[in-house]
Amino acid sequence: MTIDIIIPCIKDDHLKDCLDSIAAQAFKDVNIIIERDDKNNPLGVAAMRNRGLDKACSDYVLFVDSDDYLGREALTKAAASASQNPGKLVRIGRKRCSWRYSTTLAIEDGKTSGIEDSGESFGDAFYDTVLGQLIPRELIGDMRFEESLRYYSDLPFMAGLYEKAGIAVVPDAIYYKRLRNDPGKDPSLDQEINPERFVMFARAVRLSAAAMSDPSAVWDYMCRFLVSRTVTGRMPKALKWSDKDISAFSGLVNEASRSVTDSFRGEERRILRAFKGGNIQKIRRMVRGHAHRLMWRDRLKSAHRRKLLIYHRIFQKLPVRKDVVLFTSFFGRAYCDSPRAIYEYMRGKYPDRKYVWVINNGKTPIPGKPARVAHGSLGYYYWLAVAGKYVSNVRQPEWYIKRDGTTFLQTWHGTPLKRLACDLEDVFAARPADYKREFCRQAAEWDCLISDNAFSSDAFSTAFRYPKEKMAEIGYPRNDILYAPDIRQREEEIKKKLSLPLDRKIVLYAPTWRDDEVYADGGRFTLKLDFGMMKELSDRYHFILRTHYLISENLKLTDGEKRYVTDLSSYDDIAELYLAADVLITDYSSVFFDYANLGRPILFYVYDMEKYRDELHGFYFDMKNECPGPLLYDSAQVAEALASIEDIESEYADKYKAFRE
């Protein structure tokens, strides 16, 4: 058995991942046919697939998009099923995946929460895509995709196949459909906004019905497609449909047989009857009514949504209080960072203001006795609505509405080594398709963004789509402490407060977190620096840890390690840890930009630099040429560097000085 794999390719961005997944298959009797569109005269996916079919010569054909990839045993399992079911379509299970293949290759198919089911039923009689289906070439014959359809050209092609053959389903052979996460800059066909989309859908459905002797499966698919966008789901997509879209579906429902439409029940049947009647206003009322009922149901069930209702209906109507300044740092997790520095300056300079801190730990000491509210409390919603000044180092909540008369100061929380927001190629956060668009919308609400240097201003302008003229390029307020006139006295006071030894040098280890690891080990991270190897240095150094909270929650130091390692991950203000530390070990965290103000040595423990740079984030500058310290790739190298720290200071003196400037 041989298989032609036809890959239409518009952009080469992810083609390597796709080809790597095919090369990793145990089944090797494949012929890869890559078809590229004409950039000057693009004809579309259907035309590329047709050109591929004209070149096909194997027993079976498999269509794969260039930004998708196959699970490790997909072809082996599909080929085995094809041998047992000659002449049938072999349908491979599909899953959605939001990161690149090189990450997925290391896991067992489907065994991670980072991959989700596509929501399709593999046993449905009518399937709307050719992707992930092993098709006997003799079954295709002279069939071709309808090239006049930019969207939904799969439908009539699949209808013609179903008319000829049965289906064998192999759900555990996985086709990974890669989610696009930048619908504004790089949309998939599904994400494109086109007023002719549903006109083409209607034509595709009619062509599909005409290709089948019994088109009831096609009409059932059309009805399910329609109700899924009107009266099922949390936010009906039909709320944004034009009159033209509704009319297109109305015509389709009128062509469907009554036995198909009457097979639906309840609200689904009522919406289909409304479309059959063709009354556009009535249809809109039904869709809006469904969305309204869902909204109220969610509000009654969720404390957060009940508070949102109060926020929108009551708090947002109260007068803005010009004298109120609201501060929040890392969603209320700590009293720290630039908001803390600004607050401590303001309370001395403007004692008559009303100050409010979002702080989750009620025992956290904050000078000046400001009002306190926990993140997510009703008071939190109230002060967000009425505060005349809002100072934050992270994004505001998605539901936040900035009011006239409110000034929003965004301090951000670090110099960007790794790429951010709109500069990211792949997004590993939740709801990746909305991430960049939502980030830009939120950034537009900031009245001012603090930048710590010209390098950051350049990065922020592209990452946040934020105009430089609205930035305050003044340095981070949190770093003022690093230039305090009594800095030596403060260092000693901090060490005593933290019970750190005064007879040894202090090494601060502060790694960044890895986005992709949120899907591994139950959402927890592990520490990659082996402190057992640092024991020989314990008579000279004492180590302190400042890690991501997900690392610290899972961190277990041995009794022996606790003698020379102190975990201070939960300590509020990292600037005080900078003062206490004689050496910094980090990786891609922005902490080394801040720490460089002190002129003290920095070591870069970058055991996964290629992966982090090439797959997860990418960098704004070349670490190998610009970092003011050595790049180290294992724990032994870190220990060796600490043992010869004076030599490293001398070696990197010129580069350090240039970087600090």
Side-chain angles (χ1 to χ4, degrees), residues 302-312 376-378 381:
S302 164
H304 165 64
R305 292 184 179 275
R306 291 195 296 271
K307 291 171 186 174
L308 271 185
L309 181 63
I310 297 171
Y311 170 80
H312 288 297
S377 66
L378 190 60
Y381 291 82

Side-chain angles (χ1 to χ4, degrees), residues 546-586:
R546 174 60 179 246
T547 65
H548 190 277
Y549 72 94
L550 287 174
I551 298 177
S552 61
E553 288 177 357
N554 201 41
L555 183 62
K556 292 182 180 180
L557 296 172
T558 66
D559 291 338
E561 289 171 341
K562 289 178 182 178
R563 294 172 185 161
Y564 57 93
V565 183
T566 303
D567 183 12
L568 294 174
S569 299
S570 60
Y571 191 72
D572 276 356
D573 199 342
I574 194 172
E576 293 189 356
L577 302 186
Y578 296 153
L579 287 183
D582 300 285
V583 182
L584 171 69
I585 303 174
T586 187

Side-chain angles (χ1 to χ4, degrees), residues 140-425:
I140 297 174
D142 59 358
M143 287 176 54
R144 293 296 182 268
F145 293 88
E146 178 54 58
E147 296 184 12
S148 64
L149 293 173
R150 176 167 178 78
Y151 315 104
Y152 309 110
S153 61
D154 289 24
L155 294 183
F157 189 86
M158 291 305 303
L161 292 175
Y162 287 146
E163 182 68 10
K164 297 179 178 181
I167 306 163
V169 179
V170 191
D172 58 342
I174 306 299
Y175 179 104
Y176 290 106
K177 182 66 183 171
R178 184 181 179 277
L179 293 176
R180 294 286 187 90
N181 52 48
D182 195 353
K185 182 180 177 182
D186 183 28
S188 65
L189 283 179
D190 290 341
Q191 294 168 336
E192 282 186 358
I193 299 174
N194 189 321
E196 298 299 312
R197 173 179 290 276
F198 291 127
V199 173
M200 292 189 195
F201 178 80
R203 182 160 176 259
V205 169
R206 292 185 177 106
L207 287 172
S208 301
M212 301 183 74
S213 56
D214 179 9
S216 58
V218 174
W219 293 115
D220 178 74
Y221 162 80
M222 183 277 299
C223 289
R224 285 187 285 110
F225 183 97
L226 177 56
V227 299
S228 71
R229 285 153 176 78
T230 52
V231 293
T232 58
R234 296 186 61 83
M235 184 56 66
K237 295 181 180 180
L239 287 170
K240 298 180 180 180
W241 283 359
S242 67
D243 289 355
K244 188 175 184 179
D245 295 332
I246 294 175
S247 295
F249 279 105
S250 181
L252 287 175
V253 176
N254 274 290
E255 293 178 42
S257 66
R258 184 171 180 177
S259 62
V260 171
T261 57
D262 284 354
S263 65
F264 291 82
R265 295 288 182 268
E267 194 172 16
E268 294 180 355
R269 179 187 282 191
R270 288 192 292 274
I271 194 68
L272 289 173
R273 287 179 175 176
F275 272 94
K276 197 175 188 70
N279 186 324
I280 292 176
Q281 295 308 313
K282 180 180 179 181
I283 292 168
R284 290 197 184 281
R285 284 196 302 271
M286 291 184 70
V287 175
R288 284 197 301 267
H290 171 75
H292 194 68
R293 286 191 296 276
L294 281 180
M295 178 186 69
W296 278 100
R297 184 190 68 186
D298 288 345
R299 283 175 175 173
L300 292 174
K301 288 183 176 180
S302 164
H304 165 64
R305 292 184 179 275
R306 291 195 296 271
K307 291 171 186 174
L308 271 185
L309 181 63
I310 297 171
Y311 170 80
H312 288 297
R313 300 291 179 89
I314 299 176
F315 294 162
Q316 280 277 311
K317 292 179 170 55
L318 298 175
V320 172
R321 295 179 54 176
K322 297 286 188 180
D323 65 319
V324 173
V325 189
L326 177 67
F327 293 90
T328 181
S329 184
F330 299 115
F331 309 104
R333 286 202 292 269
Y335 171 62
C336 67
D337 211 66
S338 292
R340 171 181 175 171
I342 295 169
Y343 165 71
E344 292 183 354
Y345 174 85
M346 288 190 71
R347 65 176 283 264
K349 187 88 170 172
Y350 307 99
D352 57 334
R353 298 291 176 94
K354 170 72 174 180
Y355 296 108
V356 183
W357 260 95
V358 179
I359 193 78
N360 299 335
N361 184 351
K363 296 181 179 180
T364 300
I366 302 178
K369 296 183 179 180
R372 298 165 175 252
V373 290
H375 183 87
S377 66
L378 190 60
Y380 170 72
Y381 291 82
Y382 169 76
W383 289 116
L384 272 177
V386 303
K389 304 286 189 293
Y390 180 21
V391 182
S392 177
N393 70 345
V394 290
R395 287 194 293 160
Q396 64 272 38
E398 291 182 7
W399 44 264
Y400 171 78
I401 299 174
K402 183 176 176 292
R403 300 173 65 186
D404 292 340
T406 297
T407 302
F408 189 168
L409 174 62
Q410 173 60 258
T411 72
W412 204 239
H413 50 267
T415 306
L417 163 65
K418 52 184 183 266
R419 294 191 178 275
L420 301 170
C422 297
D423 289 339
L424 286 171
E425 179 181 355

Side-chain angles (χ1 to χ4, degrees), residues 115 146 428 636 638:
I115 298 173
E146 178 54 58
F428 301 91
V638 174

Side-chain angles (χ1 to χ4, degrees), residues 568-633:
L568 294 174
S569 299
S570 60
Y571 191 72
D572 276 356
D573 199 342
I574 194 172
E576 293 189 356
L577 302 186
Y578 296 153
L579 287 183
D582 300 285
V583 182
L584 171 69
I585 303 174
T586 187
D587 43 26
Y588 327 108
S589 171
S590 66
V591 297
F592 71 87
F593 290 94
D594 302 306
Y595 192 78
N597 285 286
L598 291 169
R600 300 172 187 175
I602 305 173
L603 306 178
F604 296 87
Y605 180 38
V606 289
Y607 58 89
D608 59 349
M609 188 173 76
E610 284 73 20
K611 176 183 177 182
Y612 200 93
R613 178 192 61 206
D614 300 337
E615 297 180 24
L616 296 185
H617 271 275
F619 298 144
Y620 285 108
F621 69 77
D622 185 350
M623 289 191 71
K624 289 186 177 180
N625 293 322
E626 298 188 56
C627 279
L631 305 186
L632 310 170
Y633 299 95

